[in-house]
Amino acid sequence: MKFIIAILLIIIVFITAWFYAENIKLKKQVTKQQEELDISAKYIKQLNKKIAEDRNLISSSKTNEEKIQALMDTYLEEQNKDVNRDSENVSQYDESRRFIPDIVPIKGDFAISQRFSDTHPGLDFAAATGSEVIAVAAGEILSVYYDEHYGNVIMIDHFNEYATLYAHLATTFFESKSTVEKGETIALVGNTGNSSAPHLHYEIMLDGNNVNPENYIDVKK
Ligand SMILES: [Zn+2]
């Protein structure tokens, strides 16, 4: 009989200890969740403050167009700072192909929005405003100009039978007569001229005639 009571007592002690331990664990969990909630509440507060500040900044401009322009200018300025114009990646290209336009003229994500045809002498890359446009081959900037239809344009002469053209640019980084390396950032994607959405219009000319850029690069995706 004594033996049974002793066993019962031991069982009771164990159960009590187990309950106690679980309780502490639960409390710890609750504290941690509370801490996380506090941190995110603080973050949301900061975010709201920043949004309110930005809104004030914007509402100080007058028309909608000016607001959009101001936002765009700030954005492009920031993008501009990030662009490393020293062509650090030039060495990655095959030296014997240095003057051949065989690379994609844009960095980052894009989608082909219009292909080469009888009525469209180039290839359109839809991409975010501010995406980097790169020289597809080494050469000399033939001209930098504004065209009513093409917006801001850069043309490059590649010292051979090839020339390339980049249109609807937001910003251009070079003047005429500058030399550029293959892969070097020359401009940022924009929506200038007769364009309904940000995109790069890209042309390759062989002996003065437009050819299909897709004969030189693989963009079927
Ligand atoms: Zn086009």
Side-chain angles (χ1 to χ4, degrees), residues 64-81:
N64 246 349
E65 218 164 282
E66 277 173 347
K67 285 177 203 170
I68 291 166
Q69 192 57 49
L71 274 176
M72 188 60 83
D73 286 347
T74 320
Y75 175 68
L76 287 176
E77 229 169 78
E78 275 169 18
Q79 285 289 104
N80 219 329
K81 270 184 239 150

Side-chain angles (χ1 to χ4, degrees), residues 114 120 124 199 201:
Q114 205 178 341
H120 186 245
D124 284 357
H199 77 282
H201 172 90

Side-chain angles (χ1 to χ4, degrees), residues 113-115 120-125 149-150 168 199-203:
S113 52
Q114 205 178 341
R115 303 203 117 89
H120 186 245
L123 190 59
D124 284 357
F125 295 79
H149 178 69
Y150 274 172
H168 305 300
H199 77 282
L200 168 70
H201 172 90
Y202 169 60
E203 295 182 14

Side-chain angles (χ1 to χ4, degrees), residues 58-93:
I58 295 163
S59 63
S60 60
S61 314
K62 277 161 206 158
T63 66
N64 246 349
E65 218 164 282
E66 277 173 347
K67 285 177 203 170
I68 291 166
Q69 192 57 49
L71 274 176
M72 188 60 83
D73 286 347
T74 320
Y75 175 68
L76 287 176
E77 229 169 78
E78 275 169 18
Q79 285 289 104
N80 219 329
K81 270 184 239 150
D82 289 340
V83 173
N84 181 2
R85 272 176 255 167
D86 304 327
S87 41
E88 87 265 8
N89 292 326
V90 170
S91 55
Q92 71 177 304
Y93 303 112

Side-chain angles (χ1 to χ4, degrees), residues 153-167:
V153 179
I154 285 189
M155 262 183 92
I156 306 177
D157 172 20
H158 299 294
F159 305 135
N160 47 24
E161 65 271 38
Y162 290 110
T164 50
L165 179 147
Y166 312 77

Side-chain angles (χ1 to χ4, degrees), residues 89-90 92-106 110 123 125 134-139 156 158 160 162-164 166 181-184 202-206 211-219:
N89 292 326
V90 170
Q92 71 177 304
Y93 303 112
D94 183 350
E95 182 64 23
S96 69
R97 312 278 298 167
R98 191 171 158 210
F99 298 98
I100 308 299
D102 60 355
I103 61 169
V104 172
I106 193 166
F110 63 80
L123 190 59
F125 295 79
I134 60 175
V136 293
I156 306 177
H158 299 294
N160 47 24
Y162 290 110
T164 50
Y166 312 77
E181 268 310 325
K182 185 167 188 155
E184 194 164 6
Y202 169 60
E203 295 182 14
I204 300 180
M205 275 143 294
L206 177 63
V211 288
N212 187 350
E214 286 190 83
N215 295 340
Y216 298 84
I217 49 171
D218 184 17
V219 284

